[in-house]
């Protein structure tokens, strides 16, 4: 490679790995280091925690393993951007040290002992929002920590998302990206800033403004890599760290989804459907549109909380045969699981999965559980696996249709990214269930590419996002729907899937009352 080329570095701390990625200005991945991480540990049922320093140590490890791969000097790298998993929170003391393990986004604990909000209780009741606000408060990690670990809360000088914590470790500054603010925080999703002084969220949460970082729009400087961070990571000291978005926002950007008629599916640990709008639109009432990975835009989202985590669950619990064969023959295990998908026909011979392995916020509700219906003696592991993939796609199609009704925009183009998009069979199932041609980006590393686009725009390598996208994103493989499969899926979706939750929901409530799970 010529030494006069310019590059950008993206760091992607996802749920299951930390990756350090170098992209050129054509969006091509030229170097990659990946460190697998344990998503969380659980000291009690429903808890999901991880040591904050574990994330930082593995970020350093990923970066250090990257540099030997380069055949050009580090000085050719002009900027770095960070993208992370969303809604993972960390408490720091006044010296910037973690006070307790991070609470990871998969955590399911709730806090029911909530103080009165005074006059706000009356106002929210009159507005019909009392239950929605109570749910927000019970889900907020800050309320749980304050009640259950008051000694920790009293020492909390800074209350940060993982993105803010890693930004602090990289720059020494308490600053974070606007487009990373997804969680139970006093954030104004319409204004893209901390909530106004009189907003109800300050009464709903124990968080004080001084505990929160300063916010910077996507594509703007967060700071520079500190000497200490440079020593630990190998990133050049002084290199500008540019504000990017959370991982899902970066995936949407790198998929080229800039307009409301383009949908972005992400088949990751959390499976999501997003579109980008310049107007604030909630697909579900009281579920906010999140900041997009470019200024003054919103991502309206539907989420299947454990999405493709369910695929890994299946592989772990039922896929030992494929894992063993892959080890013995040296083939990739994913190819063997694609063989499983091919063994079962579209519709999995009547087996349907409702993919709520983790409860939702509004749709599904907090009582929701997963379900598999339609079993018969003809069904095998292959049918179960295919039904899981189909169930995730059904749930995301439902979200797409809900958003189309709310926004008035019909989706004409569908982009698919994330780990699940690497399966040709899963891509074909998606095309058939949505009845649309689907396309995956030219690179699997879409969240990293989105961060790289932020970095390139942030230091002026491109004048704006459209220019950056024109050069750094490219068409990938396309999958057209198969007419006969579309017919089968459409009937199962409308005739069975859409009716499942309403029919089963009362039973989920009974399960929760009897067992206390989910919490």
């Amino acid at each position: 490679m010529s030494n006069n080329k310019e590059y950008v570095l993206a760091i992607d701390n996802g749920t299951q790995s930390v990756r350090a990625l170098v992209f050129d200005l054509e969006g091509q991945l030229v170097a990659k280091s990946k460190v697998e991480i344990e998503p969380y540990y659980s000291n009690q049922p429903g808890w999901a925690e991880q040591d904050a320093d574990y994330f930082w140590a593995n970020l350093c490890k990923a970066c250090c393993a990257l540099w030997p791969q380069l055949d050009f000097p580090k000085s050719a790298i002009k900027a770095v951007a960070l993208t992370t998993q969303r809604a993972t929170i960390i408490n720091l003391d006044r010296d910037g040290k973690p006070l307790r393990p991070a609470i990871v986004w998969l955590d399911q604990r709730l806090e029911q002992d909530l103080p009165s909000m005074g006059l706000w209780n009356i106002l929210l009741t009159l507005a019909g929002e009392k239950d929605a606000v109570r749910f927000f408060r019970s889900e907020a990690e800050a309320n749980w920590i304050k009640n259950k670990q008051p000694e920790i809360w009293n020492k909390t000088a800074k209350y940060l998302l993982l993105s803010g914590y890693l930004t602090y470790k990289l720059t020494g500054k308490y600053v974070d990206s606007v487009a990373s603010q997804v969680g139970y925080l006093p954030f104004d999703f319409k204004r893209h800033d901390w909530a106004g002084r009189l907003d109800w969220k300050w009464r709903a949460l124990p968080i004080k403004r001084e505990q929160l970082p300063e916010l910077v729009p996507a594509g703007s400087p967060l700071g520079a890599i500190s000497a200490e961070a440079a020593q630990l990571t190998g990133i050049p000291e002084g290199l500008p760290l540019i504000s990017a978005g959370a991982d899902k926002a970066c995936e949407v950007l790198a998929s080229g989804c800039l307009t409301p008629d383009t949908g972005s599916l992400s088949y990751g640990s959390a499976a999501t459907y997003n579109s980008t709008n310049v107007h604030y639109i909630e697909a579900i009432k009281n579920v906010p549109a999140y900041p997009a990975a470019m200024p003054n835009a919103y991502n309206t989202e539907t989420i299947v909380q454990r999405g493709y985590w369910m695929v890994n669950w299946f592989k772990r619990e039922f896929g030992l045969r494929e894992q063993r064969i892959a080890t013995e023959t040296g083939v990739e295990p994913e190819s063997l699981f694609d063989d499983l998908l091919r063994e079962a026909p579209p519709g999995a011979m009547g087996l349907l999965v409702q993919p709520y392995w983790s409860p939702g916020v509004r749709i599904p509700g907090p009582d929701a559980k997963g379900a598999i219906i339609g079993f018969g003696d003809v069904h095998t592991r292959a049918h179960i696996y295919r039904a899981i993939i189909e169930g995730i796609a059904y749930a995301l199609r439902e979200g797409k249709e809900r958003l189309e009704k709310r926004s008035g925009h019909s989706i004409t183009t569908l982009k698919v990214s994330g780990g699940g998009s690497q399966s040709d069979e899963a891509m074909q199932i998606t095309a058939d269930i949505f009845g649309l041609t689907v396309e995956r980006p030219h690179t699997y590393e879409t969240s990293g590419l989105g961060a790289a686009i932020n970095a390139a725009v942030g230091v002026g390598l491109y004048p704006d996002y459209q220019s950056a996208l024109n050069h750094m994103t490219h068409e990938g493989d396309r999958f057209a729907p198969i007419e006969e499969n579309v017919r089968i899926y459409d009937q199962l979706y409308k005739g069975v899937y859409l009716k499942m939750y309403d029919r089963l929901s009362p039973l989920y409530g009974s399960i929760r009352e009897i067992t206390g799970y989910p919490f």
Side-chain angles (χ1 to χ4, degrees):
M1 293 182 186
S2 170
N3 284 351
N4 62 7
K5 286 189 70 174
E6 294 175 312
Y7 304 88
V8 288
L9 168 65
I11 299 171
D12 183 357
N13 189 155
T15 301
Q16 302 186 67
S17 67
V18 182
R19 300 185 291 281
L21 311 159
V22 175
F23 290 91
D24 65 19
L25 296 190
E26 294 301 311
Q28 301 300 332
L29 183 63
V30 299
K32 171 181 176 178
S33 171
K34 178 179 178 180
V35 178
E36 302 282 351
I37 60 174
E38 202 61 45
Y40 63 87
Y41 56 81
S42 188
N43 291 330
Q44 294 194 38
W47 288 21
E49 298 184 331
Q50 187 52 270
D51 294 332
D53 287 338
Y54 175 79
F55 291 118
W56 172 241
N58 282 290
L59 184 154
C60 295
K61 183 177 178 182
C63 288
C64 289
L66 180 71
W67 310 120
Q69 302 178 36
L70 303 186
D71 58 1
F72 51 83
K74 288 183 187 178
S75 59
I77 297 174
K78 300 304 179 184
V80 57
L82 168 73
T83 183
T84 72
Q85 58 181 270
R86 308 183 302 189
T88 290
I89 64 96
I90 295 169
N91 300 64
L92 300 183
D93 66 16
R94 65 181 61 186
D95 297 318
K97 304 296 183 186
L99 287 162
R100 66 175 319 284
I103 299 181
V104 176
W105 66 273
L106 289 161
D107 194 277
Q108 295 181 45
R109 77 190 82 182
L110 299 174
E111 180 52 52
Q112 303 294 1
D113 183 13
L114 301 168
S116 171
M117 291 177 63
L119 179 61
W120 273 111
N121 283 343
I122 300 172
L123 297 174
L124 291 167
T125 300
L126 291 173
E129 303 295 344
K130 181 180 177 182
D131 290 342
V133 172
R134 181 171 180 83
F135 180 82
F136 174 92
R137 298 178 74 198
S138 67
E139 286 277 353
E141 300 87 354
N143 282 325
W144 188 94
I145 296 169
K146 186 177 189 301
N147 283 358
K148 299 296 191 294
Q149 299 176 336
E151 71 288 354
I152 297 291
W153 189 257
N154 291 337
K155 294 177 183 176
T156 299
K158 292 295 177 184
Y159 187 74
L160 306 175
L161 294 171
L162 177 60
S163 52
Y165 174 67
L166 294 178
T167 296
Y168 165 69
K169 297 294 286 186
L170 287 166
T171 67
K173 296 171 61 178
Y174 291 118
V175 62
D176 199 3
S177 171
V178 164
S180 293
Q181 304 312 302
V182 178
Y184 296 97
L185 297 165
F187 183 73
D188 187 327
F189 287 95
K190 288 184 180 178
R191 293 174 47 249
H192 289 176
D193 200 355
W194 297 125
R197 187 171 57 87
L198 300 179
D199 195 290
W200 62 265
K201 290 179 182 176
W202 296 112
R203 289 298 302 273
L205 302 167
I207 302 168
K208 305 299 182 188
R209 174 64 187 86
E210 58 268 21
Q211 292 175 299
L212 298 168
E214 297 302 315
L215 295 180
V216 171
S220 295
L222 291 163
I225 300 300
S226 68
E228 182 179 1
Q231 185 176 14
L232 293 171
T233 64
I235 303 171
E237 181 181 352
L239 194 68
L241 179 65
I242 301 300
S243 174
D247 52 4
K248 295 300 182 184
C250 283
E251 286 187 24
V252 176
L253 177 63
S255 296
C257 295
L258 295 186
T259 57
D261 60 353
T262 302
S264 171
L265 288 183
S266 171
Y267 284 152
S269 297
T272 58
Y273 170 82
N274 273 281
S275 74
T276 302
N277 295 274
V278 294
H279 302 294
Y280 180 86
I281 300 171
E282 295 178 351
I284 303 169
K285 186 180 179 182
N286 296 321
V287 177
Y290 300 132
M294 56 182 181
N296 306 314
Y298 304 91
N299 289 153
T300 304
E301 179 177 283
T302 289
I303 183 169
V304 180
Q305 284 285 359
R306 294 206 175 210
Y308 266 69
W309 178 94
M310 291 167 54
V311 174
N312 291 327
W313 168 82
F314 175 89
K315 292 176 179 178
R316 183 181 70 244
E317 301 296 335
F318 304 105
L320 295 179
R321 176 177 177 271
E322 283 74 23
Q323 302 280 15
R324 188 185 72 248
I325 292 173
T327 301
E328 291 173 355
T329 61
V331 303
E332 288 294 321
E334 282 69 26
S335 65
L336 300 178
F337 285 105
D338 261 11
D339 289 342
L340 270 187
L341 292 177
R342 282 186 282 268
E343 286 178 25
M349 296 185 74
L351 204 62
L352 271 84
V353 166
Q354 186 174 264
Y356 301 153
W357 261 235
S358 185
V361 179
R362 298 289 184 279
I363 300 177
D367 289 338
K369 298 183 75 66
I372 307 178
I373 66 169
F375 270 115
D377 61 3
V378 298
H379 292 121
T380 66
R381 288 182 314 125
H383 295 92
I384 297 172
Y385 186 52
R386 186 175 185 104
I388 288 173
I389 302 295
E390 292 172 346
I392 296 168
Y394 285 142
L396 294 174
R397 173 178 166 178
E398 186 179 7
K400 164 193 169 285
E401 293 175 355
R402 189 182 302 116
L403 176 56
E404 285 178 327
K405 288 179 182 177
R406 295 278 291 181
S407 69
H409 291 283
S410 294
I411 303 301
T412 57
T413 305
L414 193 59
K415 306 291 186 73
V416 186
S417 58
S421 69
Q422 296 311 289
S423 162
D424 286 357
E425 292 300 314
M427 291 291 290
Q428 187 61 56
I429 289 170
T430 303
D432 294 340
I433 286 179
F434 279 79
L436 287 169
T437 296
V438 299
E439 178 189 320
R440 58 186 169 208
H442 74 279
T443 177
Y444 157 62
E445 297 290 354
T446 41
S447 53
L449 176 59
I453 290 168
N454 281 127
V457 174
V459 292
L461 297 173
Y462 288 109
D464 52 48
Y465 283 95
Q466 189 61 64
S467 299
L469 287 168
N470 289 344
H471 288 86
M472 297 182 74
T473 62
H474 310 281
E475 284 192 5
D477 297 326
R478 295 166 64 87
F479 297 79
I482 298 169
E483 186 175 344
E484 177 60 18
N485 296 350
V486 171
R487 185 187 64 80
I488 293 169
Y489 283 130
D490 204 51
Q491 290 179 341
L492 286 171
Y493 172 71
K494 293 175 179 175
V496 183
Y497 181 83
L498 289 179
K499 300 176 181 179
M500 285 177 69
Y501 184 72
D502 286 344
R503 303 281 176 89
L504 294 172
S505 182
L507 300 180
Y508 297 153
S510 297
I511 290 171
R512 185 173 186 176
E513 289 175 11
I514 295 166
T515 67
Y517 183 84
F519 306 96

